[in-house]
Amino acid sequence: MAEMGFERSWYSFVLLASLVLATAELATAQTSPNRTVVEEVTGWLRIYSDGTVERLTPPGAEAFTAIVPPYKNPRGGVTVHDITTDRGIDVRLYLPAAAAAKAPHRRRRPVLLHLHGGGFCVTRPSWAIYHNFYAPLAAELDVAGIVSVYLPLAPEHRLPAAIDAGHAALLWFRDVARSRNVYGAAHSALVRHFRRTADFSRVFLIGDSSGGNLVHLVAARAGEDKPGVLHPVRLAGGVLLHPGFAREQKSRSELENPPSMFLAPEMIEKLLALGLPMGVNRDSPYTSPELATKAVAHVRMPPLLLMAAEKDLLHDPQVDYGKAMEHAGKKVTTVVSRGDVAHVFYLNFFAVKTDQLTANRTKELVHTIKCFIDQH
Ligand SMILES: *[C@@H]1O[C@H](CO)[C@@H](O)[C@H](O)[C@H]1NC(C)=O
Ligand SMILES: *[C@@H]1O[C@H](CO)[C@@H](O)[C@H](O)[C@H]1NC(C)=O
């Protein structure tokens, strides 16, 4: 156990050291005399006085932000494809090779719609950090595929842009389900195959961190659609993995839990401030557990699986969200990963490989997701 704890602290140390380095570099990064940094989220994002936004990789985190190009020959039983839809969004499709082989003889399978994290401001579905979790997940689950949306990023595209994009992906599913001829020629064979194997009456939303908030927000948007708008697409469930719920007043877990590889207090404050609509703060239906719940009081929501982690800075508001939703009569199953595991620990593929506790908790998390999907 002591050794395992060391592995985790070591990665945290690398990240913290990187953040210090990134700050030191900042002073020399300005080339134009008139261009100054007006906002900075250490290691991740810089905004300049001329309005340009620069997205960075904290030194030491390169392995996580490395782009994994799509591939057509199965690796670990999965192929990966980037598709431009005619709904104004690009998506990454993880396709289990098994589904291809057995498709004609087997029942149709559910579809996962993935909404990535990054505080609404950073990260891409093509990054290794997502690929290394979601590609194996596509093979592990009995699904037709996992579709991950290239979400518009703030501050250029503040909320509700990402909610619109998530909803656009549902409309794309609807188009694919309803018609044979709505997608671009470049991917038509692929999409036709997806169409044949997918059960669009069993679409599950899944999201990490701020993507977890989007699971709630996109489900709410779909719940407000006029009846039949999405038909035959139906939301069968939502999986919120360590969602980014937070209030203006810091919760106890924010004050007491240590910062981790993927979440520091500065990121909660600054990324959410840049991601929320202008003039809106964390005490809003986008991030407050209570106000998010209140906003869907009269909206039909699918059953939800809420996963939290004991050492996540946002553990308390996450659990509060589950309680508030349940109190409001919504179906929510809350599962907390116990022990020294923090925000989106399952995405840290180094720790999953080297740390027994992280490996165990990740296996349990995947099992919990699998059971939830099989049951809905
Ligand atoms: C910098 O600002 C000054 C004064 O506004 C202006 O005259 C000059 O052209 C600017 N230089 C650049 C490189 O934009
Ligand atoms: C991880 O799971 C294995 C197998 O169930 C168990 O033997 C081991 O004690 C667990 N380790 C930790 C750190 O949880």
Side-chain angles (χ1 to χ4, degrees):
M1 272 301 279
E3 270 174 32
M4 299 310 168
F6 168 77
E7 284 292 344
R8 280 191 302 281
S9 346
W10 185 78
Y11 287 116
S12 304
F13 170 75
V14 169
L15 181 79
L16 290 175
S18 308
L19 295 182
V20 172
L21 282 174
T23 312
E25 275 172 14
L26 183 61
T28 55
Q30 300 155 22
T31 46
S32 157
N34 294 354
R35 197 167 99 126
T36 55
V37 174
V38 292
E39 178 60 290
E40 209 234 344
V41 185
T42 323
W44 289 104
L45 188 87
R46 270 178 212 147
I47 303 171
Y48 293 91
S49 51
D50 62 3
T52 51
V53 178
E54 192 180 7
R55 291 188 173 76
L56 315 156
T57 293
E62 290 86 355
F64 294 113
T65 66
I67 290 171
V68 180
Y71 47 89
K72 287 181 189 157
N73 294 323
R75 287 182 216 162
V78 174
T79 60
V80 175
H81 315 268
D82 281 337
I83 297 175
T84 299
T85 74
D86 50 7
R87 281 280 168 193
I89 48 159
D90 290 348
V91 297
R92 171 157 285 212
L93 172 61
Y94 299 92
L95 217 52
K102 297 176 197 161
H105 315 292
R106 292 207 49 178
R107 65 187 169 77
R108 289 166 178 264
R109 299 170 201 205
V111 175
L112 261 60
L113 180 62
H114 174 239
L115 303 162
H116 67 75
F120 308 113
C121 294
V122 293
T123 87
R124 301 277 72 197
S126 52
W127 283 10
I129 190 174
Y130 297 118
H131 175 269
N132 290 356
F133 181 75
Y134 284 97
L137 191 69
E140 172 102 12
L141 302 178
D142 191 21
V143 292
I146 301 179
V147 171
S148 183
V149 186
Y150 284 85
L151 296 169
L153 299 179
E156 301 94 318
H157 308 282
R158 288 171 176 264
L159 289 175
I163 305 169
D164 297 340
H167 190 257
L170 293 177
L171 291 173
W172 182 65
F173 284 175
R174 181 197 68 177
D175 296 343
V176 171
R178 279 187 188 176
S179 161
R180 287 179 178 80
N181 301 310
V182 289
Y183 25 81
H187 300 290
S188 56
L190 189 73
V191 178
R192 213 172 291 131
H193 162 74
F194 180 50
R195 179 178 193 272
R196 275 199 308 271
T197 54
D199 177 356
F200 288 107
S201 72
R202 283 181 71 206
V203 172
F204 292 83
L205 303 174
I206 184 167
D208 332 271
S209 193
S210 55
N213 304 50
L214 290 174
V215 168
H216 171 91
L217 295 163
V218 173
R221 172 76 64 84
E224 285 168 345
D225 278 334
K226 289 199 186 77
V229 165
L230 288 175
H231 182 81
V233 171
R234 185 185 70 96
L235 284 186
V239 180
L240 297 83
L241 303 174
H242 309 174
F245 289 112
R247 312 176 187 89
E248 283 298 306
Q249 178 154 19
K250 280 189 166 62
S251 60
R252 194 170 154 169
S253 60
E254 279 167 272
L255 296 169
E256 292 183 0
N257 282 345
S260 67
M261 181 82 205
F262 298 125
L263 198 61
E266 188 202 50
M267 291 166 72
I268 299 173
E269 267 172 45
K270 291 192 173 176
L271 292 178
L272 292 183
L274 293 168
L276 290 165
M278 278 291 185
V280 170
N281 67 19
R282 295 195 293 279
D283 291 334
S284 67
Y286 302 101
T287 43
S288 149
E290 291 75 23
L291 296 176
T293 301
K294 202 174 158 197
V296 298
H298 304 292
V299 177
R300 199 164 49 84
M301 294 288 281
L304 301 175
L305 170 63
L306 167 68
M307 306 257 349
E310 189 168 344
K311 294 294 185 195
D312 191 337
L313 289 171
L314 299 180
H315 167 278
D316 288 7
Q318 287 160 356
V319 170
D320 290 344
Y321 165 80
K323 284 183 193 154
M325 288 286 282
E326 230 178 310
H327 193 250
K330 310 295 180 194
K331 267 195 198 162
V332 186
T333 308
T334 303
V335 178
V336 181
S337 302
R338 294 290 172 198
D340 188 10
V341 281
H343 196 63
V344 297
F345 64 83
Y346 56 92
L347 295 180
N348 183 342
F349 48 86
F350 289 120
V352 172
K353 243 185 247 166
T354 57
D355 175 58
Q356 196 60 55
L357 178 71
T358 306
N360 286 6
R361 293 294 174 267
T362 301
K363 206 188 259 182
E364 291 159 10
L365 178 130
V366 168
H367 181 72
T368 306
I369 296 170
K370 189 173 169 57
C371 291
F372 178 77
I373 289 171
D374 289 347
Q375 285 163 11
H376 291 93

